[in-house]
Amino acid sequence: MVAEQVHNIPCRNVSMPNEHTASRGVGLLDIARSLGGLSIKAVKLADHLLGGLTACLIPSRPETEIPPDQCRQILIIRPGGIGDAVFLIPILLALKNVPTISAVDILCENRNREIFLSQSRLFRKLYCYDARSEFTKIFKNHYDLIVDTEQWHYLSAIVSVLVPNRFNCGFASRPLRAKLFHRRVPYETGDYEMKNFRRLFEFLLGKDTPEPLVDGCFEIEEQTRQWARQMVPTGAVAVFVGASIALRRIPGDLAEAIGRLVLKLQHPVVLLGGKDVLDAGKKFQQDLQDSRVVNLVGQISLAQSTAIIRECRLFIGPDSGLLHLASAVGTPAIGLFGPGNLKKWAPRNEKTRIVTKNVSCSPCTHFGYTVPTCGGTYHCVKDISINDIADFITQELSAS
C-alpha cells in the first residue's frame, strides 16, 4: 500500500473508501467490540440501555421554531473529548457577538474541562458531569435555551429536558434523541464537524454569518506563554506520543525515526503526552540519547502543553485533541490519520499536512467508537513509515 499524502484537504479530493461504515449508528455489538477499558464500555452500555429506555419514556417535545431574541440565558452541553471542545471555541466566540445573549453556561466533562477553563472569558459558569456537587446545582437554574452538542448518546439529551428551560435543541442523529428536542437539527455524518456545529447554532448566529474557524481561535494567558518560551528551545518540534485511543498513537519505531530526522535537521525535540504514555516518553529519550530532547510527557497540564505547541516551529502527532489545538494556536502541523474519519475531523488550513494510508477499512471510528475490522493488523497506522512524512518535515523545517 502506498501512503496518500494530503495537504490542504479542501483543495484535494480525498476518497473515503469506507465512508458507509462511518455513517451508520452504534449497536450493542459495536460497544462490546470497541476499543477502550471496561469502565468506559460500562458507561456506554448504560447510556445505550438505560438512556434509551429513559428517552423512550419521556414524552416527545413539540417541534418548534425557537425565537432567537428570546434566548438570553443559554446552557451549552459538551461532553466528550478535547477535539469536540476545541471545535466549540469558535462558536462561543461568535456567540459573544450576539447582542441578545446575556449569559452562556457550559456543562462538560472532566476530560475536556481544562479546555473551557482556559477560555473562561467566553462563558459565565462551568459545570461538570463528573462532579456531583456541580452537576446537581445546574438543576436549580432556568435557561431560555439549552443546546446539546453531543452527536449520539442519550444522557446529554435527557439532561437538556430535565434541567428547567423554555427551549432546547440538539442533533436528531437517532429517533429517540430527536423526540427530546424542540429544534431537531439533522446530523450529517459525511460533513466536516465544524459544519455540523455551525448548523446547530445557525438560528442564533444567522445564516449569513461566516463559518467559524478553528484556526487561531485559542487564547493563551501571557504568564503561561512566558513559561513556555523559557521551556522551548529555539526552533523546537513538538512530537505528541499519546492519544486517548491507543491505536491512534504514533508507533514507537516511527516516533524514534521522526525524532532522529528532526535532530539531524538541527532542531530540538519536545515530547508531549499524558501520564498514560510515560513509558513511551522515557523509551524515546533513552533511544535517542540526545540532550536536545526535552521530555515533558506526563509532567505538564493541557494548558501548558498548548502553550508549548504555540512556541514550537512544528507539531507532529496523530489524530487527537492536541492536533486540533495546534491548529487553534496557529502552529504548523503534520497529522497522522488511521482509524479516525479524515473527512470529518482533519484540520482544514494551509498550515496542516495530513498523512494517511487511506486503507479500505478506514475509518472504523464512528460516533466516538473505534471498532477495528482489520483483524488486528492495523495497517492504517502501523504501515505509515518515516518515508511517508520525511519530505513534509524537511520542507517545513527548511522554510524561512
Side-chain angles (χ1 to χ4, degrees), residues 208-276:
D208 297 330
T209 304
E211 181 179 313
L213 299 176
V214 174
D215 310 349
C217 72
F218 203 87
E219 186 175 286
I220 302 173
E221 291 184 355
E222 183 57 31
Q223 183 177 359
T224 307
R225 287 196 63 177
Q226 289 178 3
W227 168 84
R229 291 189 190 106
Q230 295 174 352
M231 296 293 294
V232 177
T234 303
V237 175
V239 178
F240 178 45
V241 296
S244 57
I245 298 175
L247 172 57
R248 297 187 181 185
R249 295 171 187 166
I250 302 176
D253 56 345
L254 176 57
E256 181 184 343
I258 290 171
R260 292 192 184 282
L261 175 59
V262 171
L263 293 171
K264 182 180 178 181
L265 294 170
Q266 302 302 314
H267 286 266
V269 176
V270 178
L271 289 181
L272 298 176
K275 293 182 179 179
D276 55 333

Side-chain angles (χ1 to χ4, degrees), residues 75-93 95-96 104-130 134 147-151 194 197 201 217-221 302-303 306 325 328 345:
L75 172 68
I76 297 176
I77 301 177
R78 181 58 263 170
I82 293 172
D84 290 296
V86 172
F87 272 44
L88 193 56
I89 298 302
I91 297 289
L92 293 173
L93 281 165
L95 291 176
K96 291 286 285 186
V104 173
D105 292 347
I106 294 174
L107 174 61
C108 64
E109 291 185 54
N110 268 325
R111 57 180 174 152
N112 63 16
R113 179 180 190 146
E114 195 172 347
I115 292 292
F116 295 114
L117 285 176
S118 66
Q119 308 298 299
S120 59
R121 72 193 189 282
L122 301 180
F123 59 88
R124 181 180 62 180
K125 290 184 180 180
L126 186 73
Y127 300 90
C128 191
Y129 274 113
D130 310 76
E134 292 181 20
V147 182
D148 175 21
T149 65
E150 162 62 25
Q151 297 93 329
M194 181 56 74
F197 279 4
F201 289 89
C217 72
F218 203 87
E219 186 175 286
I220 302 173
E221 291 184 355
L302 183 60
T306 307
L325 281 169
W345 285 106

Side-chain angles (χ1 to χ4, degrees), residues 74-92 95 104-109 112 116 129 145-160 168-173 177 181 183 185-188 193-205 344-345 367-368:
I74 299 176
L75 172 68
I76 297 176
I77 301 177
R78 181 58 263 170
I82 293 172
D84 290 296
V86 172
F87 272 44
L88 193 56
I89 298 302
I91 297 289
L92 293 173
L95 291 176
V104 173
D105 292 347
I106 294 174
L107 174 61
C108 64
E109 291 185 54
N112 63 16
F116 295 114
Y129 274 113
L145 172 68
I146 297 181
V147 182
D148 175 21
T149 65
E150 162 62 25
Q151 297 93 329
W152 179 256
H153 296 102
Y154 289 119
L155 176 60
S156 56
I158 293 169
V159 169
S160 78
N168 72 341
C169 73
F171 289 123
S173 52
R177 286 194 101 250
F181 301 119
R183 184 172 185 268
V185 179
Y187 182 78
E188 302 296 337
E193 199 66 347
M194 181 56 74
K195 289 187 176 180
N196 279 312
F197 279 4
R198 174 69 176 78
R199 276 191 288 269
L200 196 60
F201 289 89
E202 186 176 69
F203 76 105
L204 288 172
L205 299 177
K344 178 171 287 294
W345 285 106
F367 291 115

Side-chain angles (χ1 to χ4, degrees), residues 134-143 158-159 162-164:
E134 292 181 20
F135 185 57
T136 54
K137 284 180 182 178
I138 204 165
F139 291 92
K140 299 177 182 179
N141 300 339
H142 187 284
Y143 295 97
I158 293 169
V159 169
L162 299 181
V163 173

Side-chain angles (χ1 to χ4, degrees), residues 286-308:
Q286 290 170 358
D287 289 342
L288 267 62
Q289 290 292 314
D290 195 301
S291 61
R292 293 172 295 171
V293 176
V294 180
N295 183 8
L296 298 178
V297 175
Q299 301 179 43
I300 60 177
S301 67
L302 183 60
Q304 290 173 324
S305 295
T306 307
I308 291 288

Side-chain angles (χ1 to χ4, degrees), residues 45-107:
L45 181 62
D47 183 272
H48 185 84
L49 297 176
L50 297 179
L53 176 61
T54 304
C56 186
L57 295 175
I58 294 176
S60 179
R61 290 196 136 184
E63 190 172 4
T64 182
E65 289 295 322
I66 302 174
D69 59 349
Q70 294 183 24
C71 301
R72 302 187 63 81
Q73 306 277 330
I74 299 176
L75 172 68
I76 297 176
I77 301 177
R78 181 58 263 170
I82 293 172
D84 290 296
V86 172
F87 272 44
L88 193 56
I89 298 302
I91 297 289
L92 293 173
L93 281 165
L95 291 176
K96 291 286 285 186
N97 296 322
V98 179
T100 55
I101 297 175
S102 60
V104 173
D105 292 347
I106 294 174
L107 174 61

